[in-house]
Amino acid sequence: QDGQVQVRICEEVRDGRQRAAQHVAGCPHRRALLPQVSFSVEELTHRFATLHEFKKPNDVQALSLMNRCAQACMEEFSDIVVAYGESDEYTFVLKKSTTLFTRRASKITTAIVSCFAASYVFYWPNFMIADDGRVRPLQYPPQFDGRVVCYPSLKNLRDYLCWRQADCHINNLYNTLFWTLVIKGCMTEAEAEARIRGTVSAEKNEMMFTEYGLNYNSEPAMFRKGSTLLRGEVDETITKTGPTSTTDPTPVERVITRKKKIVDIVHIDLIGDAFWQEHAALFPTD
């Protein structure tokens, strides 16, 4: 009888597992995405930046680390055609015809977020270097979240990326002036905020230039425009050793030039027409 009970229990457990698997297979979270997918990875917490003493208003090392993580994601997932990042947020655009993970939103999200987060820890020692030459210690594991957003047309996608870059400019202009007032003007954060309140862009530019000799347009393009990642090719020269000919086995070195695929980081304008005309092939409309 004990044996019969044991068999019955095993059968019930197996049946339960099968029912659970069937239920999971039909759950809504396995939804497939519509064409034209934009994927956003965002964002490090304010506490993380504060605890690790990121420089204000922009930490070049931290921004460069984010760019390297985005490169790693594009190297891993070939269906990403372009990426755009500024501050603590990155957007990855997948080609319309992608079949990555059968277009399942949850799989795309977790795969890219995990790749980004792992890359952040992996490449941290390569970028986060203190003034004394030592690696800035990582105090605790960084956390990122993400979401998948579908855009039904190229216009929608372009509007979104243009808004991201405009937002980059607005935020960076404000932060540059704010931290100039705090660091160079010796104001408290509350005093700096009160001084800036109600000013428009032209007034912010004028304040920085007349009072501190700072020309905002001379700030690095990475700060003002963010970072755009595009695929490209460069010539790579390598040396190979092989037989002189099919009849002469004598080793000989040959210099060979070949194309190497890369993910390039540029800081360019996305709001005007030039980018979209030059890279129209990345966004087929049919």
Side-chain angles (χ1 to χ4, degrees), residues 27-238:
C27 279
H29 72 265
R30 293 173 62 90
R31 65 186 177 90
L33 297 168
L34 296 173
Q36 198 58 67
V37 179
S38 174
F39 178 84
S40 296
V41 172
E42 56 182 48
E43 56 193 28
L44 283 175
T45 64
H46 177 71
R47 174 173 171 264
F48 186 95
T50 301
L51 183 62
H52 290 86
E53 299 180 342
F54 284 5
K55 294 180 180 179
K56 305 294 185 180
N58 294 287
D59 190 306
V60 176
Q61 293 181 351
L63 292 173
S64 299
L65 174 58
M66 291 285 288
N67 289 343
R68 183 63 187 92
C69 296
Q71 274 185 316
C73 290
M74 289 189 68
E75 291 163 358
E76 179 68 23
F77 302 104
S78 60
D79 280 3
I80 298 174
V81 295
V82 65
Y84 176 77
E86 53 96 9
S87 185
D88 54 9
E89 183 174 347
Y90 245 98
T91 295
F92 298 94
V93 180
L94 281 71
K95 61 184 181 182
K96 292 178 66 174
S97 59
T98 182
T99 56
L100 181 65
F101 301 122
T102 61
R103 303 180 69 88
R104 288 161 54 190
S106 59
K107 288 287 288 184
I108 293 174
T109 305
T110 54
I112 297 183
V113 169
S114 62
C115 180
F116 198 100
S119 298
Y120 197 90
V121 175
F122 184 81
Y123 290 112
W124 175 278
N126 296 4
F127 291 90
M128 306 306 289
I129 310 298
D131 293 337
D132 61 5
R134 294 185 295 181
V135 175
R136 294 157 68 174
L138 185 61
Q139 303 290 344
Y140 67 91
Q143 298 177 5
F144 296 86
D145 63 31
R147 67 178 183 268
V148 173
V149 181
C150 292
Y151 293 95
S153 71
L154 176 58
K155 181 182 183 303
N156 296 141
L157 176 63
R158 176 174 174 172
D159 287 346
Y160 171 70
L161 289 177
C162 290
W163 169 79
R164 286 289 317 279
Q165 188 166 68
D167 190 56
C168 170
H169 162 70
I170 293 169
N171 291 337
N172 188 67
L173 177 60
Y174 180 95
N175 290 334
T176 300
L177 176 56
F178 178 87
W179 288 108
T180 298
L181 294 174
V182 172
I183 297 171
K184 294 185 177 181
C186 299
M187 294 185 182
T188 66
E189 294 186 13
E191 290 171 338
E193 184 179 359
R195 179 75 187 282
I196 299 173
R197 189 179 302 123
T199 59
V200 297
S201 294
E203 293 170 327
K204 292 182 176 70
N205 277 292
E206 182 66 18
M207 194 184 305
M208 279 190 286
F209 185 74
T210 57
E211 297 183 22
Y212 300 98
L214 178 62
N215 184 348
Y216 179 75
N217 291 327
S218 297
E219 289 291 289
M222 178 169 66
F223 301 164
R224 295 181 289 110
K225 297 182 179 181
S227 300
T228 302
L229 273 61
L230 297 165
R231 299 188 185 278
E233 291 183 338
V234 294
D235 289 333
E236 180 184 45
T237 301
I238 61 173

Side-chain angles (χ1 to χ4, degrees), residues 1-14:
Q1 290 182 348
D2 290 343
Q4 293 175 346
V5 170
Q6 190 173 20
V7 169
R8 188 178 305 115
I9 292 174
C10 290
E11 289 175 346
E12 290 175 355
V13 169
R14 183 176 64 251

